[in-house]
Amino acid sequence: MVLVNTKEMIKKAKEGHYAVGSFNVTDIEMIRGIVGAAEKENSPVIIQFAELHDKYVPLDVIAPVMLNVARKASVPVAVHFDHGETFDNIMRAIRLGFTSVMVDASQENFADNLAQTKEIVKICKPLNISVEAELGPMNREGSGDKKVDYADLNKTYTNPQEAKQFIEESGIDMLAVAYGTVHGVYTQKPHLSFSRLKEISDLVDFPLVVHGASGLTDEEYRKSVENGICKINYYSEMVHRVALGVQKKLEQDDSDKQLFISDASIWETEMVEEEIRGRLRVFGSAGKA
């Protein structure tokens, strides 16, 4: 199947009132598991690589694998560069063939975020490459980081009027907004503001993205979609659950069988596929390929 542009997927998702799952990958097992899940669920899917994951595998090593698997898939697959914080790395992803990129200047002030985003949009538009940006700096949980003070979350919620201005002036194809989710595995219950999300969605009528979607309940996913979310980024909970699953199998007492690293590779692929199939059903994209 021809490699798909992310904005085409998101447009269909918005019209069909469902969300496309966007899943980070750091090895071939995750790539195969995610695309295999999408094929079994007849769902469109986005596989993505985050700039900060370059410590696990170099971008120029994993990108050809992502693109090759996407082109051979029987369902629409887009290949996305996630959380691009540097101009050089975003350009690397474009040269490697990614069909969409995210400009993450959300920690900057509004003017600088807009300026950096416009610079990337100007380059990507003629190349038919989708551009995502983020407005409203999100906190981060887990990984040894300081716990989030949820009393201060309102300070990081995306401002609806700013979202409208940002969309109109930047030329982006999708916008990641903050309404109470945080990056990483949750250490406490998130305080989601669906009223803020609805306010943004009603004002801009534009494809919205949620980051930090790990740890939400099925109902919270569905409510997010009902209030304008068309793309759901899901990673931390997936890799945590799969790691625990592989650990459990390794700890099982089976003295009659020798274990090899290739066994763990098969387990990982199967567990990722099972995990993602469930997410695709909840996001509403199953059967929408």
Side-chain angles (χ1 to χ4, degrees), residues 64-262:
V65 181
M66 296 170 69
L67 292 160
N68 186 49
V69 173
R71 291 189 181 103
K72 292 182 177 180
S74 61
V75 295
V77 180
V79 179
H80 178 73
F81 187 60
D82 187 34
H83 286 289
E85 297 182 359
T86 62
F87 180 86
D88 288 346
N89 279 323
I90 294 172
M91 291 303 103
R92 285 175 63 205
I94 291 171
R95 287 193 294 268
L96 286 165
F98 280 56
T99 56
S100 71
V101 298
M102 178 196 178
V103 189
D104 187 0
S106 60
Q107 299 300 322
E108 307 292 339
N109 61 48
F110 182 90
D112 289 343
N113 187 354
L114 180 59
Q116 291 180 38
T117 301
K118 288 173 71 173
E119 183 179 16
I120 299 302
V121 170
K122 185 177 180 179
I123 295 168
C124 288
K125 283 288 185 182
L127 300 173
N128 195 32
I129 295 173
S130 309
V131 178
E132 175 185 335
E134 182 172 315
L135 189 62
M138 289 178 57
N139 291 296
R140 182 177 297 277
E141 285 257 28
S143 304
D145 294 322
K146 182 181 178 181
K147 281 190 176 182
V148 173
D149 182 357
Y150 283 95
D152 290 336
L153 271 182
N154 189 57
K155 297 178 182 178
T156 66
Y157 288 159
T158 301
N159 179 291
Q161 292 296 333
E162 287 188 348
K164 185 175 185 296
Q165 181 184 350
F166 196 95
I167 290 166
E168 292 174 347
E169 296 186 17
S170 66
I172 56 172
D173 301 292
M174 45 201 156
L175 180 67
V177 294
Y179 59 100
T181 59
V182 296
H183 291 295
V185 177
Y186 288 87
T187 60
Q188 46 190 317
K189 184 175 175 57
H191 295 183
L192 304 179
S193 176
F194 290 109
S195 61
R196 175 60 61 91
L197 177 58
K198 186 177 188 304
E199 186 180 355
I200 296 169
S201 180
D202 288 346
L203 182 64
V204 301
D205 189 26
F206 188 79
L208 302 179
V209 180
V210 58
H211 288 226
S214 289
L216 303 188
T217 66
D218 289 356
E219 179 57 30
E220 286 169 336
Y221 286 125
R222 294 187 180 103
K223 198 167 182 180
S224 296
V225 175
E226 289 173 6
N227 286 285
I229 293 297
C230 303
K231 174 177 177 278
I232 298 177
N233 282 28
Y234 182 80
Y235 170 73
S236 298
E237 189 172 28
M238 171 182 68
V239 292
H240 180 59
R241 285 183 177 179
V242 171
L244 292 178
V246 172
Q247 180 185 44
K248 184 176 180 181
K249 289 189 74 70
L250 287 170
E251 291 174 346
Q252 288 175 346
D253 183 13
D254 190 357
S255 56
D256 294 331
K257 179 182 177 181
Q258 289 183 314
L259 288 176
F260 302 92
I261 191 65
S262 51

